[in-house]
Every structure is written in C-alpha cells, then in structure tokens.
Amino acid sequence: METGFFIIFINLYVIAHKIYAIENSNFSNTWNNFTQDSQLLHATYSITIIDNSTGNVTFSFNKDIGLAPASTMKTVTGAAAFHYLGTDYRYKTLLQYSGKVNPFGILNGYIYIVGSGDPSLGSWRWNETKGDIIMQHWISLINGKGIKQCRGIILDLSIWPDQTQTVPDGYPWGGLGNYYATGSSALNWRENQFRIFLLPGSTVGSPVTVTGFENLPQLITFTNELVTGPPGSGDLADVYLAPDSTHGYLRGSLGIDSPKDFSIGAATPNSAIHIADELRQRMNWSKSMPIKIIYQQDVNTTVNRITLDTYQSPPLSEIVYWFEQDSINMYGEVLIKTVAQITNSSTNRVLPLYCYNEHGIEQTAVATRDGSGLSPQNRITTLAIARVLYNIQQRASWFPSFERALPIANGIRMKGGFISNVLSYSGYVNKQVFSIITNNYNGVTSVMRQKIWNLLNTLK
Ligand SMILES: *[C@@H]1O[C@H](CO)[C@@H](O)[C@H](O)[C@H]1NC(C)=O
Ligand SMILES: *[C@@H]1O[C@H](CO)[C@@H](O)[C@H](O)[C@H]1NC(C)=O
Ligand SMILES: *[C@@H]1O[C@H](CO)[C@@H](O)[C@H](O)[C@H]1NC(C)=O
Ligand SMILES: *[C@@H]1O[C@H](CO)[C@@H](O)[C@H](O)[C@H]1NC(C)=O
Ligand SMILES: *[C@@H]1O[C@H](CO)[C@@H](O)[C@H](O)[C@H]1NC(C)=O
Ligand SMILES: *[C@@H]1O[C@H](CO)[C@@H](O)[C@H](O)[C@H]1NC(C)=O
Ligand SMILES: *[C@@H]1O[C@H](CO)[C@@H](O)[C@H](O)[C@H]1NC(C)=O
Ligand SMILES: *[C@@H]1O[C@H](CO)[C@@H](O)[C@H](O)[C@H]1NC(C)=O
C-alpha cells in the first residue's frame, strides 16, 4: 500500500515537471524567437537546463555539441580546484638564504625565493598580499640577519616540472601582451601585470603619448604605434609583448575624449624576474647583481638553505572567489597546474578527468587547452557544465564557497564568458541549473548579451 502510494506520487511529480517544462510558455516562446534571431544565423549554440529537485534535463538544444565556452569554463575549474585542493588550501612562498654572513654584512651565498605558484603573491586584492607589504617584510628579515650584500638572488621554480612562466599553447597572440592573457609561474608577482598610462593627441589620427608606467618590469621597451581615435571610440589599444621578451608594440587607438589618467593593463613577460628585480632595487643592490632562475634539474641538494620566511596565501576559497568574480585567467592556469601536479596528470587532462571521475561525463565531451576558458580551442558541452553544477549543488561539502564565488549578473547567480564572438552563461536560477553557449554570433556583443539575458529572464 505504502509502496503503491509512493509510485503514484513519483509519477505525478514527473508529470508535473513535464508540464512545467512545456508550460513555461514564456521560455518556449522566447526560445523559439531566439532561434530565429539574425545574430545567430551562422552561429552554433547550445543550452541545457536541469531541474534542481530531480536532476532531470528539462530542456536542451545541442546539449552534446562541444563549443568554446569562454570563461564559463571557470565554473568547472573552480569546482575541480575545490574538489582536489579543498577550500582551506594555501600556497606557501619561502624566503631563504645560503652561506654565512661575515662581520661586514657580506653573505657568501645567495638569497632564494622559492615559489609554489601562489597566484595572489603581491596582489592588490587583499591587504596582506600587497606587493609593498610583502617586500617590506622580506627586507626587514634580510636586514635583521645583518645581510648587506650577497652573491645574487636565486628564483627557485622547481615546484613544477615544466619551465618558467608559461602561457597555455591555445592563448591567441592578440591577447598575449594584455593583462588578461598573462602567463603564470611558480613565482607570480602583482598578478603579473603592470600599467601603461596614455594620453590621446589633440586631433583624430595623431599619435597617443605614453605618459608613464606603474610597476614596469626592468628592461621593457615599446614601439608605440597608437593613434588618437574619434570621440566615444574608447579604448581600442592593445599590447603585443611575448612571454620572456623585453620589446613590445602598442597598437590600436584611444578615443580623443579619454580621461587624463587613462591606463591599460599589460602582461609582465617574466614575473619571477620581476619580483627579484624589485627586491634588488629596494635593497639598493647593484644592477649587475646576478639574478638566476633554477628549475627542478638545477636544484643543488647539498646546499644548505636557511628559511627566513614562509609566506602563506589567503585560503583557496578566497582565491576562487576572485577567480570567479573578476574572471582572472591567470588564477585559472595556476589552479589547473596545481591540480595537475597533485593528481599527476597533464594540465590539459585535469578537467576531462575531473568530469569523468567525479561526474561520469564522457571524457570526449570535455577538451580543454587551459583552465580559464580564454583559449578559443577549448571545447565543452553545455550538458557537461550543467551536470557538474547540478552535482556539486547536491553533494559537495564546499558548495557554499563555490556559490558565494559565482557573480550575480542580470539578477542571476551565474558565471558569464566572452571571447571573440563567443558569449556564454552558466549558473543557478529558480531551482534550475543552466548552461548556455553561443559561438560565432554576428553583430554587436551587447545586443546579443541582452537577448540571452531576456531568454534567461523567462526562467526566473
Ligand atoms: C511570463 O512573462 C510575463 C511578463 O514578463 C509575466 O508577467 C508572467 O508571470 C510570466 N509567466 C510565467 C509562467 O513565467
Ligand atoms: C523576438 O526577437 C526580436 C528580435 O530579437 C525582439 O525584438 C522581440 O522582442 C522578441 N520577441 C519576444 C516575444 O521575445
Ligand atoms: C526524472 O527524475 C525522476 C526522479 O529522479 C526519474 O524517476 C525520472 O525517470 C526522470 N525523468 C526523466 C524523463 O528523465
Ligand atoms: C585593509 O587595510 C585598510 C587600510 O589600512 C583597512 O581600512 C581595512 O580595514 C583593511 N581590511 C582588512 C580586511 O583587514
Ligand atoms: C636604500 O636606499 C634608500 C635611499 O638612500 C634608503 O632610504 C633605504 O632605506 C635603502 N634600503 C635599504 C634596504 O637599505
Ligand atoms: C652544489 O653545492 C656544493 C656546496 O655548496 C658545491 O660544492 C657544488 O659544487 C655544487 N654543485 C653544483 C653542480 O653546482
Ligand atoms: C606519474 O605519472 C608518470 C607517468 O605516467 C609515472 O611514471 C609516475 O610514476 C607517476 N607518479 C606518481 C607519483 O603517481
Ligand atoms: C537544490 O537542491 C538542493 C538539494 O536538494 C537543495 O539543498 C537546494 O536548496 C536546492 N536549491 C534551490 C535553489 O532550490
């Protein structure tokens, strides 16, 4: 009797949900209209909606087609990071020295900075991570040991088997010199960014002047090809500067009516060298002092190092919070490398394996080239994203940290993504989990965005 009642109850429940899916006529109408939109005439797009209470897919279109997800990829990266590392994980950076200090303050050894990949080292986002605070602390520790001179600074990047500051293979050249496409290293510094201040000319077409820099790494020079654009044309300025290089190009335009103190963000070509340079300058050490990077194969295990400081990052919950909120691509690359090391896999295998092992998603549905979504070569299905988002809401102990990290846009808790002709959103709305991705839409991005938001509004 009881069992029978239960079955009837479940059936009614299922029927109710089918009816709900069909009878949300606002959604159906808006969706039908959406598919007719001329901006999507040559586009590939996909949507999956999962009901939070049943886990059933209530609506989908092209759910098994892999698309470039842009930054909605960060939902899966954030989930994988919490899963493998935990919300309390902290990166540790060491300040060490070798050798002995003589009575004149001369150290017959080296200062070592040992990286662990901390993406927040020197970041302005937390009081305790600020570059000036960390530098002052390290200088006081070095002074405290009576060290006035040393043989050089050694940057120990041995934590990761691969080389120094690497940019994922799939990042486009058009992005590389800009703040959002900076590489990541075992030693990141000030989010691997510096600022370039620009002043437009007095007529359209005249040159733009570089008026200054903030946190400019040593030895960087630019060829400035920027021109003044018409009023209202804004910031169309790009930085072309390759990883590890010292010469770059400024190209594009800056609107004639841009504010006086206008600046653009550029990518530091080698963040480990930048941190050592800054320490050297602040210690008033000579420009000719050797600065050396060592990798795993270079570590001399017979050298005795004394640890002056073990600097700890904020917990991973905080790092993932800013990763999702401000879509910091470099954080994603570091998280993927950290997980790759712990799980003994390659960076491109981290997300396919996480989706397969923890969520039963076929590995072929997830083909990643980075952890941020910046590479146009990434592919994932909306079903895979929605399934991960549904599962973690149901069963992950760290879900509250994840949910808090997701931004709220258009009144919906969701992560958005944008790269050239790609717009995407994934998140939670009114007891539903959704993921929508558009690739190769045409026309104005803000107009396309509003159409997607109008569609999502019907799920509220
Ligand atoms: C459909 O949209 C209208 C106008 O936005 C709203 O008043 C109505 O409640 C919506 N109906 C459903 C079933 O969501
Ligand atoms: C249908 O799409 C057009 C063009 O995007 C838009 O102007 C119109 O408001 C839409 N209608 C509905 C019911 O969503
Ligand atoms: C929906 O979910 C219920 C409960 O988990 C399940 O019994 C049912 O088969 C699902 N329906 C569909 C269409 O997948
Ligand atoms: C950070 O520093 C500022 C300025 O010193 C201070 O007002 C603020 O309370 C600090 N924030 C935290 C979280 O400690
Ligand atoms: C470096 O020189 C400046 C200017 O003389 C001085 O203020 C500062 O204290 C010096 N730094 C160290 C670490 O000695
Ligand atoms: C390693 O360090 C020891 C002790 O400082 C030194 O004698 C030796 O030459 C070093 N080995 C290499 C390969 O640099
Ligand atoms: C990591 O993977 C490599 C290559 O598959 C293997 O040789 C090595 O033993 C693995 N290490 C650990 C700790 O599992
Ligand atoms: C979704 O389901 C989970 C588990 O059943 C529940 O804890 C949560 O409150 C639900 N969320 C919404 C928005 O309904």
Side-chain angles (χ1 to χ4, degrees):
M1 192 59 191
E2 264 185 84
T3 316
F5 177 78
F6 189 65
I7 289 169
I8 291 165
F9 178 77
I10 289 276
N11 278 340
L12 285 176
Y13 199 60
V14 170
I15 290 163
H17 273 276
K18 278 190 179 148
I19 290 169
Y20 168 78
I22 295 160
E23 282 205 344
N24 186 347
S25 56
N26 281 359
F27 174 79
S28 308
N29 290 341
T30 313
W31 172 258
N32 288 336
N33 194 33
F34 186 78
T35 60
Q36 305 296 313
D37 198 284
S38 64
Q39 279 198 280
L40 295 172
L41 207 53
H42 309 290
T44 314
Y45 50 96
S46 166
I47 187 168
T48 298
I49 301 169
I50 294 179
D51 184 301
N52 179 50
S53 48
T54 62
N56 292 348
V57 173
T58 51
F59 186 82
S60 71
F61 180 76
N62 275 345
K63 68 177 169 42
D64 296 311
I65 303 296
L67 294 171
S71 287
T72 51
M73 179 74 96
K74 291 186 174 79
T75 56
V76 183
T77 304
F82 279 148
H83 175 77
Y84 292 109
L85 306 169
T87 52
D88 296 333
Y89 184 89
R90 290 172 197 262
Y91 290 91
K92 293 185 180 71
T93 307
L94 306 182
L95 179 72
Q96 302 177 317
Y97 69 95
S98 64
K100 294 214 156 51
V101 197
N102 78 8
F104 308 103
I106 297 167
L107 178 71
N108 67 347
Y110 295 85
I111 299 286
Y112 288 78
I113 306 173
V114 188
S116 65
D118 184 355
S120 68
L121 193 72
S123 168
W124 62 88
R125 293 177 205 276
W126 297 266
N127 281 349
E128 67 274 20
T129 62
K130 289 198 168 92
D132 291 350
I133 302 282
I134 292 171
M135 274 293 154
Q136 274 162 26
H137 183 54
W138 285 356
I139 288 164
S140 73
L141 290 170
I142 293 169
N143 285 339
K145 283 282 160 192
I147 299 170
K148 295 199 169 67
Q149 288 296 332
C150 68
R151 289 188 179 163
I153 301 172
I154 295 183
L155 304 158
D156 183 337
L157 308 186
S158 61
I159 179 101
W160 289 330
D162 54 351
Q163 301 298 288
T164 172
Q165 175 160 345
T166 45
V167 168
D169 288 347
Y171 272 21
W173 166 234
L176 288 191
N178 298 288
Y179 75 95
Y180 60 84
T182 187
S184 62
S185 165
L187 276 173
N188 303 297
W189 184 238
R190 298 183 182 274
E191 299 207 357
N192 303 350
Q193 299 177 22
F194 64 99
R195 297 208 73 81
I196 306 174
F197 290 83
L198 302 172
L199 185 69
S202 53
T203 55
V204 173
S206 63
V208 169
T209 312
V210 174
T211 57
F213 297 94
E214 191 180 279
N215 299 321
L216 178 71
Q218 289 282 298
L219 304 173
I220 307 285
T221 55
F222 284 104
T223 301
N224 177 8
E225 297 171 1
L226 290 169
V227 292
T228 304
S233 62
D235 168 18
L236 296 172
D238 275 312
V239 185
Y240 293 81
L241 178 63
D244 285 330
S245 68
T246 54
H247 188 72
Y249 295 84
L250 303 176
R251 291 188 180 132
S253 66
L254 183 66
I256 191 161
D257 52 351
S258 300
K260 262 206 161 115
D261 55 352
F262 189 80
S263 69
I264 56 173
T268 304
N270 189 316
S271 53
I273 297 286
H274 193 200
I275 192 171
D277 259 328
E278 198 171 318
L279 180 64
R280 182 187 59 70
Q281 279 181 49
R282 289 187 184 227
M283 288 302 299
N284 301 323
W285 286 338
S286 147
K287 263 193 169 173
S288 60
M289 164 182 279
I291 290 176
K292 207 164 72 178
I293 288 177
I294 57 170
Y295 305 106
Q296 261 177 18
Q297 67 272 17
D298 309 319
V299 175
N300 186 339
T301 49
T302 66
V303 174
N304 186 37
R305 298 189 204 169
I306 293 156
T307 300
L308 283 173
D309 188 31
T310 303
Y311 167 83
Q312 295 205 47
S313 75
L316 197 72
S317 53
E318 290 285 308
I319 290 173
V320 170
Y321 176 82
W322 286 113
F323 171 54
E324 305 288 353
Q325 290 280 319
D326 275 8
S327 221
I328 315 164
N329 296 322
M330 184 268 282
Y331 283 23
E333 310 317 340
V334 166
L335 292 173
I336 286 291
K337 284 191 200 178
T338 310
V339 172
Q341 193 196 24
I342 282 179
T343 58
N344 194 29
S345 79
S346 70
T347 51
N348 286 344
R349 298 291 300 139
V350 166
L351 295 185
L353 286 174
Y354 168 65
C355 288
Y356 177 71
N357 291 333
E358 303 306 321
H359 303 284
I361 295 163
E362 317 89 286
Q363 294 186 51
T364 46
V366 186
T368 54
R369 296 288 171 269
D370 63 32
S372 63
L374 181 60
S375 170
Q377 295 173 6
N378 291 303
R379 294 292 181 271
I380 190 167
T381 64
T382 57
L383 179 61
I385 294 181
R387 183 61 68 202
V388 170
L389 291 182
Y390 170 77
N391 285 346
I392 63 177
Q393 185 183 41
Q394 296 300 310
R395 55 183 196 228
S397 60
W398 41 260
F399 183 72
S401 295
F402 181 88
E403 190 178 31
R404 173 181 163 263
L406 281 191
I408 293 176
N410 190 35
I412 299 175
R413 196 169 277 284
M414 61 181 179
K415 180 87 194 93
F418 167 66
I419 56 176
S420 189
N421 296 329
V422 172
L423 264 179
S424 54
Y425 290 92
S426 298
Y428 303 91
V429 59
N430 184 25
K431 297 179 181 165
Q432 294 155 100
V433 183
F434 71 92
S435 177
I436 180 168
I437 300 176
T438 60
N439 280 188
N440 202 44
Y441 62 86
N442 63 69
V444 180
T445 296
S446 58
V447 177
M448 189 70 239
R449 172 178 295 121
Q450 192 56 55
K451 286 170 185 168
I452 297 175
W453 284 10
N454 290 345
L455 177 68
L456 295 178
N457 280 342
T458 64
L459 296 174
K460 280 178 179 171

